[in-house]
Amino acid sequence: MFMRKFTPVTIALLCSWLAPTSLAQSTSPLAGVTLSQSKGTATFSAPMQVIILLTFLTVLPAVIMSVTPFLRITVVLHFLRQALGTQGTPSNQVLIGLALFLTLLIMQPVVLDVYNKGWEPFESGQLTWQQAFQDGSGPLKTFLTRYVREKDVKLFLDISHTPPPKRPSDLGLTVLVPAYVISELKTGFQIGAVLYLPFLVIDLIVASVTLSIGMVQLPPVMLSAPFKILLFVLVDGWNLVVGSLIRSFYST
């Protein structure tokens, strides 16, 4: 009975009175997310900034592992540990920490360029987010282009049916990122295979000696492991491997 007293005209007047006159005057946003406008530029509210930040933090590990030297470094360190035959030493946490700090060292100039050309102008209101993304992705594209193979770029251009650009800087991130991942995987496997060779020679020599003297019950891996570790320590292997990895990014 109470609802019958509200005619369609009354409901329309009530809705027009409750509705906000503009986006800037909205005082009861949905779920606390608003988009306020000031001086012609749009700024996100605090809840919306938190949502964007959490989304970015969710994607950040995949970005670090895919579009940075972290990929090549972790692959090489994994092959090195397998070649040494030390099982879980160094642990995964140690190897990942070393790879992360080496990645920060190599990517520091690129990150600073991205911040200065993209985020800083956007934060000060000089650029829109589209322009900031385009300008900020420039240094990252330059970095990826230096280490990507032309064959891999052509593969993803054919898959996406994208015409080849006139300049390498015109390539999109949707093509550069997967091409860079494949290129880095191949480079990491090549370096890992080279690291395996001297330790493989030690394994073959120890296995031949143990078989020739009739020590069949003793695994050759147990005898070759101390020799491999001793060789790696004598040649200062960590310095050589880490130095070669860092120089491989600066020499290209």
Side-chain angles (χ1 to χ4, degrees):
M1 297 296 295
F2 179 75
M3 294 295 298
R4 293 179 181 177
K5 296 180 180 179
F6 290 93
T7 61
V9 178
T10 306
I11 294 176
L13 292 175
L14 183 62
C15 291
S16 63
W17 176 70
L18 292 175
T21 57
S22 65
L23 183 62
Q25 296 177 356
S26 178
T27 58
S28 59
L30 180 62
V33 179
T34 59
L35 181 65
S36 59
Q37 295 182 355
S38 60
K39 297 182 180 180
T41 60
T43 58
F44 294 103
S45 64
M48 192 62 181
Q49 292 178 5
V50 172
I51 294 174
I52 294 175
L53 179 61
L54 292 177
T55 305
F56 176 74
L57 292 177
T58 304
V59 182
L60 184 61
V63 173
I64 294 177
M65 290 186 293
S66 301
V67 298
T68 62
F70 185 87
L71 177 60
R72 182 192 302 186
I73 296 172
T74 51
V75 170
V76 172
L77 293 180
H78 172 75
F79 275 109
L80 176 62
R81 186 175 64 180
Q82 294 293 325
L84 285 172
T86 55
Q87 303 300 325
T89 304
S91 62
N92 291 331
Q93 291 81 358
V94 174
L95 294 183
I96 292 175
L98 176 61
L100 181 60
F101 282 107
L102 293 178
T103 302
L104 293 176
L105 176 64
I106 298 172
M107 291 296 295
Q108 183 180 2
V110 181
V111 173
L112 290 178
D113 287 344
V114 172
Y115 177 80
N116 294 330
K117 295 181 180 180
W119 178 256
E120 194 173 15
F122 172 73
E123 191 177 19
S124 60
Q126 299 177 3
L127 298 176
T128 62
W129 70 268
Q130 294 92 340
Q131 296 172 343
F133 178 80
Q134 183 177 1
D135 295 345
S137 61
L140 182 60
K141 288 182 179 180
T142 303
F143 173 81
L144 298 179
T145 306
R146 291 175 58 188
Y147 306 104
V148 75
R149 297 188 307 165
E150 184 178 355
K151 181 179 180 181
D152 297 328
V153 173
K154 185 177 182 302
L155 170 65
F156 289 100
L157 286 175
D158 295 339
I159 293 175
S160 60
H161 303 287
T162 304
K166 297 181 180 179
R167 297 175 300 175
S169 57
D170 296 334
L171 287 170
L173 290 177
T174 54
V175 173
L176 273 178
V177 171
Y180 173 81
V181 172
I182 293 181
S183 301
E184 287 296 286
L185 284 176
K186 180 181 180 181
T187 305
F189 273 72
Q190 289 175 342
I191 299 174
V194 173
L195 288 175
Y196 247 106
L197 293 179
F199 302 108
L200 181 61
V201 172
I202 296 177
D203 287 332
L204 292 176
I205 294 175
V206 172
S208 300
V209 172
T210 54
L211 289 176
S212 63
I213 62 178
M215 300 176 61
V216 182
Q217 296 180 354
L218 185 62
V221 179
M222 295 183 61
L223 295 176
S224 62
F227 292 101
K228 291 190 289 186
I229 296 174
L230 182 61
L231 174 64
F232 188 72
V233 172
L234 288 177
V235 300
D236 198 4
W238 289 111
N239 185 282
L240 291 176
V241 172
V242 172
S244 300
L245 279 174
I246 294 178
R247 283 191 290 270
S248 66
F249 286 98
Y250 286 103
S251 60
T252 306

